[in-house]
Amino acid sequence: MSIFDRLLTPLAVGQTVLPNRMVMGAMHTRLETLDRPHARLAAFYAARAAGEIGLILSGGFSPNAEGVMEAGGPLFDRAEQLDEHRAVTRAVHAAGGKIVLQILHAGRYAKVPECVAPSAIKARINAWTPRALSLDDIGRTIADFAHTAALAVEAGYDGVEIMGSEGYLINEFAAAATNHRDDAYGGSFDARIRFALDVVRAVRERLGAAPMLIYRISSIDLVDGGLSGAEVATFAQRVEAAGADLINTGVGWHESAVPTIAASVPRAAWREAIRNVKRAVSIPVMASNRINMPEVAEELIASGVADCVSMARPLLADPEFAKKTRLGLADEINTCIGCNQACLDRIFTERTATCLVNPRAGREIEFPEGRARVAKRVAVVGGGPAGMAFAVNAAERGHAVTLYEAAPRLGGQLNMAKVVPGKAEFNETLRYFTARLAKLGVDVRLGEAVSAAALADAGYDEIVLATGVTPRVPDIAGVDHPKVVSYVDVLTGKVDVGARVAIIGAGGMGFDVAEYLLGDARESLDPEAFFRAWGVDVANANAGSGGLTKEMGATNPAKPRRTVHLLQRKAEPPGKGLGKSTGWILKARLRRAHLMTISGATYDAIDDQGLHYRVDGVAQTLAVDHVVLCAGQNANRVLFDELAARGIHAKLIGGADVAAELDALRAIDQATRLAVEL
Ligand code: NAP
Ligand code: SF4
């Protein structure tokens, strides 16, 4: 018996039996469009199928040209496209998996001038105003869904998922906010959900009984004018009656002002919205959003919230999530930390998705598995993300690795990141690397500041330096004043930070320190605190509210814990470099916590009075107890230079290589590539 018994129990979905309750959720990777034919996409999904995931849902494909996400976006409407899909379905089936095609009509979110919607109401996140569909257009669109479903089965998919959530076309019909029609498809609740039900019926009819038909319902819209909980429940019952085999759940619309999947959202926070759907129907229900651990997934099934779980990003992070769960190796699952840095932030900036903690994701062909031809003795110096990633990957390839870390614990910069409210998931990255290093027999030497002489004497075949960075000390008069501290002092708890603070430097670290000093960690750990902070009524009791309350920020004290000023020299608004999909969340949290920002600053001096600076030539003073330096970093290459003086060429990775771009994404990617080359 496994502690994940329920997760590992087969599940009947219509006439299909899934081997377990773990499903890879639909997610665009841009491999669908940026890399044709689908060789990389096929390898990507095949790796997940080989990792024993019970079912894969593809990224969404539009059933017609006006429903694409953007110009050139995924579209499946012609027989000529069958072969490239067959490459994917064959690869998945050959690896023992099952895959369903998601059909997604983007509606008014389609970033094309010809976009359509139930009514001609522009979305705030799209530059184009949609054209309202005529009754004829509606009939044609329903037929297009059915046509794409038929193509999907012809291409070898095991069924389809109809995307009815996240604010796309079907969701727009259902919500009064976006459906102002007065014909058979608008007005009353029954009329607004008619389009969804017509689509389900038409698709079922074309599919026949055997292929799976999954419908993704919006369990809570999180927009004003969205459905109530009672309406969602009724909607789910009608979807079941219309012929769905399984209901998947979505949370929020893309335009919602509430985060739904970022790391700052507590795990499984949306359980009550999902349970509402589960209670209403007799077919299986799938939970989604911020489920990143088998423990969380098992508990959702055990407590009757859902019958199975959808995980998209966690399957980027670890293709073997399901297999490791079955084998009792949950400790070795490379956990998705909800950062969005290498997946959504790359997709939003027109690059293919990969994963911060698993750079192989989406690049399976570039990173062949397997052992090195010659096993080497390798020394790695530095136990931060770069050093740990290199050590694990090199050991997996059969090299004998010794990892030296001067500090008494592994983690490097991760130890600082994980204490910032909303970033506790970094603990899982540390847990993963620690478990893998132990499993692979890497000789980890903690508290050992290895010297160049010792490395030279040991006669390693390769020496890799991941010695990280040292914080930059800017050239400001009085920078050695006792009230000046570095971000390291703050985040490692070395200083007891006062009530009035100035932060110099508004990069990622400056924002992290501001969040550390002002933020409330409970908001990311406790769903109730999260809902209060973001104004969510998860019971969604009020008609037309979409689950939003009018009150936001109730957990934030009217008087902040501290007075914090965040300064930068650039004249632009601070925070431009933060992640596209998460920066707005951090900025909103800090606004609520009364952070004050100052741009275009010239620093004059720091003394007993505080920080003296000028903006537009006007001299000002911030009377503060502490000035925290977050002014970037310099590469730490002392050991590299000492080895070079002995004629030994070591390889540099991570911040020790390029301090200016210090971040875990680049560090882990570079480390993994080097290990594969070795
Ligand atoms: P950073 O991004 O380079 O930012 C350093 C800040 O200090 C800049 O805002 C810069 O702005 C200022 N600065 C630079 N030199 C200065 C000087 N001589 N005097 C005064 N101010 C100076 O460095 P970081 O914030 O330490 O972040 C390092 C890396 O870690 C980044 O690549 C980032 O991706 C990653 N990181 C990201 C996050 C996140 O996304 N949440 C969090 C932590 C770290 P001005 O020149 O305008 O003053
Ligand atoms: Fe998860 Fe971050 Fe990887 Fe995306 S990049 S899959 S959010 S760990």
Side-chain angles (χ1 to χ4, degrees):
M1 190 176 138
S2 158
I3 55 165
F4 303 118
D5 243 12
R6 292 178 179 84
L7 216 42
L8 295 167
T9 303
L11 176 70
V13 176
Q15 299 186 8
T16 308
V17 177
L18 306 182
N20 59 52
R21 310 285 179 110
M22 291 168 273
V23 175
M24 180 177 179
M27 181 167 172
H28 281 123
T29 58
R30 280 195 187 273
L31 295 175
E32 299 87 355
T33 45
L34 290 184
D35 189 60
R36 284 167 180 270
H38 293 180
R40 279 167 77 188
L41 191 62
F44 169 71
Y45 285 133
R48 275 79 198 156
E52 301 182 7
I53 194 72
L55 175 67
I56 294 168
L57 310 177
S58 79
F61 280 77
S62 177
N64 61 33
E66 59 205 18
V68 292
M69 301 283 289
E70 61 195 354
L75 169 67
F76 192 9
D77 64 346
R78 294 185 302 282
E80 304 88 79
Q81 295 157 330
L82 284 166
D83 278 349
E84 56 192 26
H85 285 277
R86 284 187 180 122
V88 172
T89 56
R90 279 192 194 122
V92 169
H93 291 151
K98 292 185 169 44
I99 183 165
V100 149
L101 179 94
Q102 189 190 69
I103 311 178
L104 184 162
H105 188 304
R108 69 180 195 150
Y109 286 169
K111 291 191 166 55
V112 289
E114 55 275 16
C115 62
V116 296
S119 302
I121 306 167
K122 187 175 125 25
R124 72 174 174 86
I125 58 170
N126 195 356
W128 303 103
T129 301
R131 176 176 66 81
L133 289 164
S134 68
L135 280 174
D136 281 352
D137 291 332
I138 289 175
R140 177 178 51 78
T141 305
I142 293 167
D144 289 342
F145 270 91
H147 178 58
T148 296
L151 287 173
V153 172
E154 206 178 332
Y157 287 100
D158 299 285
V160 297
E161 176 177 75
I162 298 168
M163 178 45 146
S165 70
E166 323 300 304
Y168 294 120
L169 182 71
I170 296 178
N171 217 176
E172 290 158 18
F173 266 95
T178 41
N179 183 344
H180 292 183
R181 304 178 72 92
D182 55 10
D183 57 13
Y185 289 93
S188 68
F189 168 70
D190 284 348
R192 283 185 275 117
I193 65 169
R194 185 188 310 271
F195 179 70
L197 302 179
D198 283 357
V199 168
V200 174
R201 278 190 286 263
V203 167
R204 177 89 275 170
E205 202 180 305
R206 281 296 279 278
L207 288 179
M212 281 178 278
L213 196 170
I214 303 171
Y215 183 86
R216 189 165 194 195
I217 200 166
S218 180
S219 65
I220 184 164
D221 288 330
L222 300 177
V223 290
D224 207 14
L227 299 191
S228 68
E231 287 172 328
V232 170
T234 306
F235 191 1
Q237 286 165 352
R238 306 266 179 88
V239 168
E240 175 178 5
D245 297 315
L246 169 73
I247 297 190
N248 186 8
T249 49
V251 176
W253 290 25
H254 285 315
E255 65 199 83
S256 301
V258 179
T260 56
I261 60 165
S264 53
V265 180
R267 291 174 180 172
W270 305 104
R271 55 189 301 132
E272 293 312 317
I274 299 161
R275 196 197 294 276
N276 176 45
V277 175
K278 167 76 184 145
R279 280 201 193 106
V281 298
S282 57
I283 52 174
V285 169
M286 181 145 66
S288 77
N289 283 46
R290 280 297 276 133
I291 303 164
N292 63 342
M293 306 278 287
E295 292 83 356
V296 178
E298 176 78 10
E299 195 279 327
L300 283 170
I301 299 172
S303 58
V305 170
D307 302 281
C308 55
V309 295
S310 159
M311 299 171 288
R313 295 171 302 164
L315 263 293
L316 256 71
D318 197 330
E320 298 195 318
F321 187 105
K323 185 175 177 182
K324 290 177 182 173
T325 300
R326 179 177 64 79
L327 294 175
L329 301 173
D331 230 31
E332 293 179 48
I333 291 177
N334 197 358
T335 301
C336 165
I337 55 172
C339 65
N340 291 353
Q341 251 177 276
C343 53
L344 295 187
D345 286 347
R346 283 179 59 92
I347 295 168
F348 291 158
T349 48
E350 292 176 30
R351 292 171 291 167
T352 54
T354 180
C355 173
L356 181 142
V357 298
N358 174 25
R360 286 185 161 85
R363 295 125 164 214
E364 283 71 17
I365 293 171
E366 279 173 58
F367 286 98
E369 305 276 343
R371 293 175 84 79
R373 268 185 296 121
V374 182
K376 294 181 175 176
R377 285 183 65 239
V378 183
V380 189
V381 185
M388 292 189 294
F390 177 82
V392 164
N393 280 282
E396 281 173 350
R397 291 180 48 74
H399 300 297
V401 182
T402 305
L403 172 61
Y404 297 93
E405 167 56 53
R409 58 184 174 157
L410 289 167
Q413 301 275 321
L414 291 184
N415 289 317
M416 281 180 267
K418 73 184 195 190
V419 300
V420 175
K423 292 198 165 180
E425 293 288 6
F426 275 111
N427 281 303
E428 302 302 342
T429 307
L430 262 169
R431 183 261 307 143
Y432 163 75
F433 278 125
T434 308
R436 286 298 291 158
L437 288 167
K439 181 74 170 270
L440 291 159
V442 171
D443 181 6
V444 178
R445 311 263 184 98
L446 296 178
E448 194 169 331
V450 66
S451 67
L455 286 170
D457 288 350
Y460 288 107
D461 299 319
E462 299 280 350
I463 300 174
V464 175
L465 300 184
T467 40
V469 293
T470 47
R472 179 182 297 134
V473 179
D475 187 14
I476 303 171
V479 78
D480 52 356
H481 191 278
K483 65 173 60 179
V484 179
V485 295
S486 94
Y487 67 86
V488 179
D489 301 325
V490 174
L491 296 175
T492 55
K494 260 194 205 141
V495 285
D496 192 8
V497 181
R500 301 165 307 164
V501 183
I503 300 172
I504 289 185
M509 209 53 89
F511 271 90
D512 271 5
V513 168
E515 177 70 1
Y516 178 76
L517 295 175
L518 289 171
D520 182 347
R522 285 172 307 168
E523 277 181 27
S524 305
L525 300 172
D526 169 10
E528 288 312 314
F530 172 82
F531 295 142
R532 276 197 301 278
W534 290 95
V536 175
D537 163 30
V538 79
N540 194 5
N542 297 320
S545 70
L548 297 178
T549 66
K550 298 285 173 236
E551 296 141 31
M552 249 215 217
T555 50
N556 290 94
K559 191 168 174 299
R561 278 160 56 199
R562 292 188 174 85
T563 308
V564 179
H565 291 87
L566 179 63
L567 297 96
Q568 69 175 16
R569 299 174 300 182
K570 289 186 279 291
E572 66 192 32
K576 274 200 156 176
L578 296 174
K580 212 170 157 59
S581 64
T582 51
W584 68 274
I585 302 169
L586 186 57
K587 282 190 267 182
R589 278 161 70 116
L590 288 168
R591 250 196 319 275
R592 275 196 265 120
H594 306 278
L595 174 72
M596 285 167 277
T597 58
I598 297 168
S599 297
T602 305
Y603 308 114
D604 289 332
I606 301 162
D607 58 21
D608 289 347
Q609 284 181 299
L611 171 65
H612 303 277
Y613 70 99
R614 275 170 291 136
V615 172
D616 296 332
V618 180
Q620 323 228 19
T621 299
L622 289 173
V624 291
D625 307 308
H626 282 109
V627 176
V628 185
L629 300 179
C630 298
Q633 294 88 4
N634 297 317
N636 178 359
R637 295 195 185 158
V638 175
L639 194 53
F640 179 84
D641 293 339
E642 287 173 3
L643 286 167
R646 291 169 177 268
I648 298 172
H649 180 73
K651 295 188 167 75
L652 286 166
I653 55 173
D657 180 31
V658 186
E661 288 173 24
L662 166 77
D663 69 48
L665 169 57
R666 182 179 168 282
I668 295 175
D669 181 84
Q670 186 186 26
T672 308
R673 285 175 192 278
L674 180 62
V676 169
E677 282 165 19
L678 206 65

